[in-house]
Amino acid sequence: MHPSSNNTMLSLLTISSKVDKLGNKKNIITNSHQVYGTTKSITTSEYNSAVMMNVKYDRKVLVQAFLYKEEKYALIQSTIFKIERTFMKGQFLELYMASTDLKYEDLIDE
């Protein structure tokens, strides 16, 4: 496998609030599309700058820039990540993500 080949399948998610029949707010997935990216290591300088901003990145994935449509969440192997920061790197976009407590099953609109 080439070192910069796609090695991560992820779904980019748009999550919105919806009021159910009882008037309770519920988060649901309103848009989702699957893309492939490349998982990269978070560098020491990226880690240090995140610590200074009081943010913790759990994952960094590069995707083709045209595939990203301003989604705020990503689903990777049954874990939902919040996209905390993006950085343009040529034709690619670096997505810096932090894991969340959200569960995919809870976000499906029934």
Side-chain angles (χ1 to χ4, degrees):
M1 179 186 281
H2 190 273
S4 62
S5 61
N6 294 333
N7 59 13
T8 304
M9 180 176 62
L10 62 147
S11 294
L12 296 173
L13 309 173
T14 302
I15 297 176
S16 302
S17 290
K18 178 182 176 183
V19 178
D20 65 9
K21 294 175 185 175
L22 301 174
N24 299 322
K25 262 186 160 179
K26 179 182 179 187
N27 289 331
I28 60 165
I29 296 172
T30 54
N31 192 17
S32 170
H33 68 280
Q34 195 173 62
V35 299
Y36 290 91
T38 306
T39 296
K40 296 286 187 177
S41 296
I42 297 173
T43 64
T44 303
S45 62
E46 291 167 340
Y47 175 80
N48 290 335
S49 64
V51 167
M52 290 173 54
M53 294 185 302
N54 201 20
V55 178
K56 181 179 180 274
Y57 300 131
D58 295 314
R59 198 150 193 162
K60 174 178 140 180
V61 178
L62 268 70
V63 296
Q64 293 280 332
F66 70 90
L67 296 173
Y68 181 70
K69 308 283 189 252
E70 304 294 321
E71 292 89 356
K72 300 296 181 203
Y73 295 92
L75 175 66
I76 304 173
Q77 296 177 345
S78 74
T79 302
I80 295 182
F81 293 88
K82 182 168 184 352
I83 300 170
E84 297 284 351
R85 176 180 180 255
T86 61
F87 181 76
M88 186 65 105
K89 189 173 187 176
Q91 69 183 21
F92 294 96
L93 194 65
E94 293 178 338
L95 305 176
Y96 293 86
M97 300 179 263
S99 60
T100 68
D101 292 332
L102 296 172
K103 301 288 182 218
Y104 180 76
E105 309 82 48
D106 298 337
L107 300 173
I108 299 171
D109 190 24
E110 298 171 1

